[in-house]
């Protein structure tokens, strides 16, 4: 589920660092690999997890792929939690009301 | 920065009963078919328990009989306030925070739930040592400022 994927994506310090950098300016895999001093495949794997979670979007530019922040990326987390507590509190309220009737 | 989720309901009973029902009797009302790890796997949780004390755990017994910790009680103040570190389906280090207050009202009890602490993702000891924590909070504040407005 999306909620899980977002939390998993954010659980890794390197990915949070990458996300922070891309929030400052859109970047390519090569730029990120240079800055982090790790291989391009390793960076690509982190970018895939962030993109699959909806936190990044990617735009082809020539032969490069430019990654940028998806500003709506965290909305599913909040919507999920919003609905979660709506369901729980409504059930709590119904229970109390039904007790009062008995 | 993501704002907290805040929910308010009123229930037709005194705070004492509302608090006791919310905590001691959580199994009787919690939607185990919707809000549980079992539910995420298409099943129904067998039981939900909240240990009624500061430091107590919130435990789901899932559809296979396995106990899963959802979080811990960080404040247990009968019959006015409950605070939880909440990490359902996550590691404890990824906890966010839930506060529930119970206030008497003219028709019973007003129950207010606040779920906050999204910046906790960056609140990790290792990151704080290298001064990175502030930067992560900044990601939320700048990049996601409009996500939920």
């Amino acid at each position: 589920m999306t909620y899980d994927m977002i939390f998993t994506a954010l659980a890794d310090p390197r990915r949070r660092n990458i996300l922070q950098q891309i929030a400052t300016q859109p970047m390519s895999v090569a730029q990120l690999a240079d800055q982090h001093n790790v291989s391009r495949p390793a960076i690509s794997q982190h970018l895939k997890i962030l993109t699959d979670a909806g936190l990044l979007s990617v735009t082809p530019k020539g032969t490069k792929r430019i990654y940028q922040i998806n500003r709506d990326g965290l909305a599913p987390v909040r919507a999920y939690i919003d609905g979660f507590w709506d369901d729980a509190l409504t059930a709590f309220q119904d229970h109390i009301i039904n007790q009062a009737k008995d | 920065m993501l704002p907290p989720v805040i929910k308010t309901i009123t229930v037709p009973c005194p705070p004492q009963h509302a608090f006791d029902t919310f905590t001691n009797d959580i199994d009787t009302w919690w939607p185990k078919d919707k809000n549980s790890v079992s539910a995420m796997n298409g099943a129904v949780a067998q039981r939900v328990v909240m240990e009624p004390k500061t430091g107590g755990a919130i435990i789901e017994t899932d559809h296979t009989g396995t106990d899963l910790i959802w979080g811990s009680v960080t404040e247990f103040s009968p019959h006015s306030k409950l605070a939880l570190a909440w990490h359902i389906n996550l590691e404890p280090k990824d906890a966010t925070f839930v506060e529930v207050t119970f206030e008497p009202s003219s028709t019973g009890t007003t129950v207010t739930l606040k779920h906050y602490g999204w910046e906790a993702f960056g609140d990790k000891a290792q990151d704080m040592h290298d001064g990175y924590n502030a930067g992560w909070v900044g990601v939320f504040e700048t990049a996601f400022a409009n996500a939920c407005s």
Side-chain angles (χ1 to χ4, degrees), chain A residues 4 7 10 16-17 19-20 70-71 74-75 78 80-82 84-89 91-93 95-96 99, chain B residues 3-5 7 10 17-18 28-29 35 40 89-90 113 115 118 121 127 132 135-136 139-140 143-144 147-148:
Chain A
D4 258 357
F7 276 90
L10 293 177
R16 292 201 301 274
N17 207 331
L19 194 62
Q20 183 190 8
N70 176 15
R71 289 181 187 277
L74 282 176
R78 195 168 185 282
Y80 171 81
I81 291 176
D82 211 63
F84 182 95
W85 289 119
D86 266 340
D87 289 344
L89 291 179
F92 174 67
Q93 194 176 33
H95 180 75
I96 298 264
Q99 278 183 329
Chain B
V5 168
K7 302 281 176 190
T10 301
H17 184 65
T28 60
W29 58 269
N35 295 15
M40 293 175 195
N89 215 28
L90 295 169
L113 183 144
H115 193 162
W118 316 109
F121 296 126
D127 297 330
Y132 172 67
W136 174 238
V139 172
F140 279 94
F144 298 110
C148 297

Side-chain angles (χ1 to χ4, degrees), chain B residues 93-115:
Chain B
K93 68 179 171 57
D94 294 322
T96 51
F97 304 100
V98 177
E99 275 181 18
V100 191
T101 56
F102 302 80
E103 294 171 291
S105 76
S106 57
T107 55
T109 303
T110 300
V111 181
T112 304
L113 183 144
K114 180 175 159 189
H115 193 162

Side-chain angles (χ1 to χ4, degrees), chain A residues 22-36:
Chain A
I22 294 176
T24 312
Q25 81 177 96
M27 297 179 91
S28 68
V29 175
Q31 284 173 303
L32 286 161
D34 286 348
Q35 293 199 7
H36 287 264

Side-chain angles (χ1 to χ4, degrees), chain B residues 45-59:
Chain B
Q46 289 183 21
R47 190 173 57 210
V48 177
V49 173
M50 184 184 299
E51 295 172 343
K53 59 183 181 186
T54 299
I58 304 124
I59 307 157

Side-chain angles (χ1 to χ4, degrees), chain A residues 13 16, chain B residues 122-136:
Chain A
R16 292 201 301 274
Chain B
D123 189 11
K124 301 194 167 57
Q126 188 187 331
D127 297 330
M128 289 173 74
H129 281 307
D130 63 14
Y132 172 67
N133 185 48
W136 174 238

Side-chain angles (χ1 to χ4, degrees), chain A residues 14 18 29-47:
Chain A
R14 172 87 74 187
I18 290 171
V29 175
Q31 284 173 303
L32 286 161
D34 286 348
Q35 293 199 7
H36 287 264
N37 203 20
V38 293
S39 70
R40 291 188 189 189
I43 289 287
S44 290
Q45 183 57 26
H46 286 310
L47 290 171

